[in-house]
Amino acid sequence: MASKQEMIKEMLEMQKKFSAYEQANGVDPEEYFTPKAGSEFDGYRAKYQELANKVVDLAHEEAGSQR
């Protein structure tokens, strides 16, 4: 499993790529929320959410707290 810092770095890279794409091409909500297979955003939201959940879980584990 990747460390919390590695996951945060990956999330930041994903955000950077998304922002660059959006600035160059614009993003239609349909393209973002229901992307076509093979598109730039295919799997993006699921991957980002998965990473975010893991980071939150690790942070709670470190703090000794629960969600």
Side-chain angles (χ1 to χ4, degrees):
M1 175 191 269
S3 72
K4 185 173 74 171
Q5 290 77 18
E6 290 170 332
M7 286 185 275
I8 291 170
K9 183 179 178 181
E10 185 175 352
M11 291 170 67
L12 291 171
E13 286 298 319
M14 289 175 73
Q15 289 175 359
K16 184 178 175 182
K17 250 180 110 174
F18 177 86
S19 292
Y21 180 90
E22 180 186 30
Q23 289 175 1
N25 306 295
V27 175
D28 182 278
E30 185 176 348
E31 180 183 18
Y32 178 75
F33 288 104
T34 56
K36 294 181 176 148
S39 78
E40 187 77 24
F41 300 114
D42 187 19
Y44 177 88
R45 291 177 60 231
K47 176 67 176 175
Y48 193 89
Q49 188 64 51
E50 176 187 338
L51 289 168
N53 285 333
K54 286 179 182 178
V55 168
V56 168
D57 290 342
L58 286 171
H60 277 291
E61 187 179 301
E62 289 174 1
S65 61
Q66 295 179 341
R67 268 187 188 225

